[in-house]
Amino acid sequence: MTKRLARLVICFFYSATVAFSQTTSSLWLDDLPTKSFSEGIPAVLPKTTAAGDSIVMHGTYFNRGVGVNATSILAFFLDGKATEFTALVGVDDKGIKELPHRFYVIGDRKILFDSGDMRLGDEPKNVAVPLNGIKRLGLLVKVDDAGRTKVYSNWANARLVVRDNYLPQTIPNTDERYILTPPTPKTPKINSARVFGATPGNPVLYTIAATGERPMRFSAKGLPAGLSLDVQTGLITGKVVQRGTYKVTLTARNAFGQATQNLNLKIGDAIALTPPIGWNGWNSWARNIDREKVIASAKAMVRMGLSQHGWTYINIDDAWQGQRGGKFNAIQPNEKFPKFREMVDFIHRLGLKVGVYSTPMITSYAGYVGGSSNLKDGGFPDSIQANKRAFRYVGNYRFETQDARQLAEWGIDYLKYDWRIDVPSAERMSVALKNSGRDIFYSISNSAPFASVTDWVRLTNSYRTGPDIRDSWNSLYVSAFTLDKWAPYAGPGHWNDPDMMILGNVTTGTQLHPTRLTPDEQYSHVSLFSLLSAPLLIGCPIEQLDAFTLNLLTNDEVIEIDQDPLGKSARLLREENGVQIWLKPLEDGSFAVGLFNIGDFGKTPESYFRWGDETAKSFTFDLANVGLNGHYRLRDVWRQKTLGVVETSFKTEIRHHGVVLLRLFPKK
């Protein structure tokens, strides 16, 4: 036998041995934790439709599969260890008749299957796609649903053939978590809002937030009668009876120097003159929230220095509510929240504010006591608790006045009111809060109809502009990058709310896990929310913040853009070569500009997924194209670095799904 022939024989037996050792097996998609692979917003459910019903297409029932709603994005990391994907796809028989759905299977940027348009009543189509060598797999259903519900379609009998019992993973998120913002200096810097509104005769709680070495002493010149300052904590409390605008000068001093800031204190009919900035517990703990977790969050807000940058609210979401009772026959806290008023007082002493959740429905979304009932006394018997979903509607007897008075007596500062929003329910609670004897920020949720935006401006302090946010680029894009039409309605006292922030460790649909946003996407997230003058509500456990996320949340120049007293929302002025240009005018005559590399997201099936080979884009920002004429001093906001003076254009690199956030100061 020649040496060449011998080598061929050895190679043959080696290849055969490897092939034999790599056994394959079928893996039903509905046996996987499907929610963890979903990067869309609506529900994704195993073995049922997205509504929880049986999967039925063209009259045929299916016991296996994954049901999705509207545009759906499922992303899997296969690492080359799958050989085939098979399924039957189509519109569910309970879906919407006239809407076309289009199914795609995409592997490593290549479209492997395209169903073409499919409608209700069409026969399901077979999918049989080889996956040898594919590392990243995307399953996309594209529907132009225009906000309509019940847009149900299915991946029936969906399964993967994998080697050696491999289990698909979520898409890796291992990009460098680079820190841009420099550390805060030891010298004092005041970071609290420069305008504050309160109602005559109602309690005032305002904290002078300041960074710098402790100990620090505070002073306030020009405080109106009725207010006092704690010089050690910077906490201003009391009541002001006389209407008017009071010019107050705040000062913070330590061993390294002093800082001053002017405050316009407006006593009148308007509160919430800047967007709220704080924390909400739902995306941290969901139904598992309790007194200990809330207190731990408040302590962490102070201990980690967030309160020094102006972070204020500690908001308890759904799952605190118990039975009605007390002197107002109002919702009382359940067994997870003993000594409720004591907890509120403790948080106030830290210089923070407290929020809670309620709903005008009989039951909340988590199944707890709501603000109405079909029983005159508002009772919540076992018959309701046994079938909570059946009582997600507004009952015959409503208790807005009683509940608002109870919130005021406890010292609550913020109410998140959550349901499929209607104007009458919103108005009843608005009136009740204004008559409660306390200034309570009023936030309504979720998916406020745009057609009634003038009512939301009139009645509320913030209104959720869309569905619940998820920690994916698609959800962030839908929640924030589409808000330009809402922009003219935002302003002091009434803010467009794209939902909580999806940074850190979150529980959006699955167990607590690190956000799936890349570091670049997280910079874009915080930048755009600030440009939009959106409420900034941290959605992760504060005590678990790492250095990268804490750095994202403590750039005072970014927060200042969000808290600017002018209260103008940025507008989307142009989109050029996959880069969106958002511009926001600020009170001092300067402009904040966000240059976002959105990568033509949504324009091709491939653009819905992250393939791991994305690159930065070179971009020239032409000032004249957005109406900026003259000379401007240019500042990189994230790096807190002045870049010089520009007149015509500025050239930069923008990372994929990343941002360059600028502030332009006119030069005379």
Side-chain angles (χ1 to χ4, degrees), residues 337-400:
F337 287 90
K339 301 179 181 179
F340 197 78
R341 177 59 191 261
E342 181 183 289
M343 176 192 71
V344 173
D345 290 343
F346 172 80
I347 295 171
H348 282 165
R349 286 195 296 272
L350 296 176
L352 305 176
K353 297 184 177 183
V354 185
V356 295
Y357 172 105
S358 192
T359 174
M361 300 187 298
I362 295 174
T363 64
S364 69
Y365 284 110
Y368 290 83
V369 177
S372 66
S373 177
N374 286 334
L375 301 174
K376 192 173 183 179
D377 64 354
F380 198 72
D382 292 342
S383 58
I384 294 178
Q385 297 183 48
N387 190 12
K388 300 166 186 175
R389 291 180 66 93
F391 294 91
R392 289 183 182 173
Y393 62 89
V394 178
N396 297 328
Y397 299 96
R398 297 179 288 271
F399 301 89
E400 293 91 355

Side-chain angles (χ1 to χ4, degrees), residues 181-185 187 189-193 207-212 214 218 261 275-278 300-313 352 536 538 545 549-563 640:
T181 303
T184 55
T187 52
K189 181 179 182 297
I190 296 176
N191 303 306
S192 42
T207 300
I208 305 175
T211 49
R214 261 50 181 180
F218 300 91
Q261 179 174 289
I277 173 171
M301 184 84 85
V302 175
R303 183 180 70 252
M304 302 190 79
L306 285 162
S307 61
Q308 298 176 19
H309 297 271
W311 297 89
T312 301
Y313 286 94
L352 305 176
L536 302 180
I538 301 167
L545 288 174
T549 312
L550 186 61
N551 190 260
L552 279 174
L553 295 170
T554 52
N555 184 312
D556 297 312
E557 295 188 24
V558 177
I559 296 171
E560 185 180 0
I561 291 171
D562 178 80
Q563 297 287 293
Q640 297 185 349

